[in-house]
Amino acid sequence: MNTNFESTKKLLELSQRMKNIEVFLYISTAFTHTQKKVLVETVYPPPAKVEDIYKFIEENGDDEQATLKFINGQPNTYTFTKSLSEAYLSKHHGNVPAVIIRPSIVSATNQEPIPGWLDNWYGSTPFLMNASEGWLRIVRGNYNSGIDFIPVDFVTNLSIVAAAKAKRTNEVQVFHSTTSADNPTDWSDFKNYFLDEVVRRGKNDLPYPNIVFVESKIALAIGSFLMQTVPAHMLDLWLKITGKEPRYVKILAQVIRLRDSYEHFSSNDWIMRSDRTRQLHASLSPEDQEKFQCDPTQINWPEYLKDYCRGVLKYLKPRKMY
């Protein structure tokens, strides 16, 4: 609440005291209302009343089970408070033109400053690498489900264009920086281009990396034990026998913890429409369209996923993930 809601509220109040303010642009997330299967570029009602949230915090503190029940279907407190901030901005922006950008899973650059560049292990990158290196073998979800990636330079370009073209209106303009509706990709694309690129370059830690999707939690538990827990203990036993420090069980625990935190996203599928974003990009001159690429249909997935993989190996792999 302090990071996502109160800071937004204070910055909005500050901007309203600026005489020459041109636009208040808020970077949100496309996952603010995942209880809906089709998400459009509009502001949705807030998930709760602010006073009720603070009352809950006062009474329950950081009780995890109570919090999960209170956020009522939201994946986590991050998406919950971002949703709350959107609704507050929509209601209280006053005379300040306001724009909301909703990116999906932000990933490596498409073109700028160079293809495949990234500088952190945030988002889906560790999840993808764990699978590609052979650590992650089984996930709850559907192999044919889509993955809504968006290159970070597309988000940046959209933010610049949307801010430059912001209008003074009572309506908060919402733009999705997403791909699932207009240029979808799925887990099979990830395997064919990202995972296979890791293997082709010989950068997998364990042999024959692959990822299996299961629907039920029981199947996930059984599969995790047979496909991951047992092999990790056997490998650590071999390290002990040969006089080396065990490491596989420790790494696997971190991999499983990360996998479980992504379960809501790997086991669900959404269509996130980006009609207004595409219209905004189409309104630019040909020169600006080339300079400020933000239309998701421009992404070439086979080429992009290989660049993404190469970027991780070049810029992040030398640094430890765990």
Side-chain angles (χ1 to χ4, degrees), residues 105-109 117-118 124-125 149-153 301 304 308:
I105 305 172
V106 181
S107 50
T109 57
W117 179 84
L118 72 170
S124 61
T125 302
F149 292 133
I150 190 71
V152 64
D153 48 338
W301 287 117
Y304 173 75
Y308 185 3

Side-chain angles (χ1 to χ4, degrees), residues 258-269:
L258 178 69
R259 179 199 69 184
D260 292 346
S261 71
Y262 278 87
E263 184 174 298
H264 184 88
F265 304 98
S266 65
S267 59
N268 287 283
D269 210 4

Side-chain angles (χ1 to χ4, degrees), residues 41 158 175-176 178 181-183 273-284 289 294-298:
E41 294 157 302
L158 175 60
F175 298 95
H176 281 180
T178 57
D182 301 301
N183 188 10
R273 303 200 60 85
S274 56
D275 302 332
R276 294 181 70 171
T277 294
R278 294 178 63 201
Q279 291 169 7
L280 182 67
H281 184 260
S283 72
L284 302 177
Q289 285 183 14
C294 56
D295 182 343
T297 62
Q298 297 174 323

Side-chain angles (χ1 to χ4, degrees), residues 29-30 32-33 36 38-44 86 90 98-103 158 162 171-179 181-182 271-281 294-296:
T29 170
T32 49
H33 293 276
K36 300 177 182 295
V38 179
L39 295 150
V40 297
E41 294 157 302
T42 189
V43 177
Y44 292 99
E86 284 189 5
S90 177
V99 173
I100 293 173
I101 306 295
R102 288 196 190 126
L158 175 60
E171 178 197 10
V172 172
Q173 300 160 78
V174 181
F175 298 95
H176 281 180
S177 195
T178 57
T179 56
D182 301 301
I271 298 296
M272 299 173 177
R273 303 200 60 85
S274 56
D275 302 332
R276 294 181 70 171
T277 294
R278 294 178 63 201
Q279 291 169 7
L280 182 67
H281 184 260
C294 56
D295 182 343

Side-chain angles (χ1 to χ4, degrees), residues 244-259:
K244 298 177 181 178
E245 187 71 23
R247 66 189 186 97
Y248 289 98
V249 172
K250 182 179 178 181
I251 293 176
L252 179 62
Q254 295 170 314
V255 169
I256 295 298
R257 187 161 54 248
L258 178 69
R259 179 199 69 184

Side-chain angles (χ1 to χ4, degrees), residues 134-172:
W135 292 100
L136 181 60
R137 301 274 178 173
I138 186 166
V139 175
R140 186 162 174 255
N142 190 312
Y143 189 71
N144 295 317
S145 293
I147 322 173
D148 203 310
F149 292 133
I150 190 71
V152 64
D153 48 338
F154 272 55
V155 183
T156 304
N157 290 337
L158 175 60
S159 301
I160 293 169
V161 174
K165 288 183 166 280
K167 301 174 183 177
R168 290 194 175 273
T169 171
N170 290 331
E171 178 197 10
V172 172

Side-chain angles (χ1 to χ4, degrees), residues 39-103:
L39 295 150
V40 297
E41 294 157 302
T42 189
V43 177
Y44 292 99
K49 294 181 179 179
V50 174
E51 56 268 27
D52 291 342
I53 297 171
Y54 280 116
K55 182 180 178 181
F56 168 83
I57 293 172
E58 184 178 347
E59 293 176 352
N60 296 274
D62 59 357
D63 185 309
E64 186 174 351
Q65 292 304 314
T67 300
L68 286 173
K69 185 177 180 180
F70 181 78
I71 63 177
N72 193 28
Q74 285 273 12
N76 49 49
T77 54
Y78 174 79
T79 61
F80 182 87
T81 51
K82 295 293 273 188
S83 173
L84 192 71
S85 299
E86 284 189 5
Y88 182 88
L89 175 61
S90 177
K91 186 175 180 180
H92 297 283
H93 70 96
N95 293 324
V96 177
V99 173
I100 293 173
I101 306 295
R102 288 196 190 126

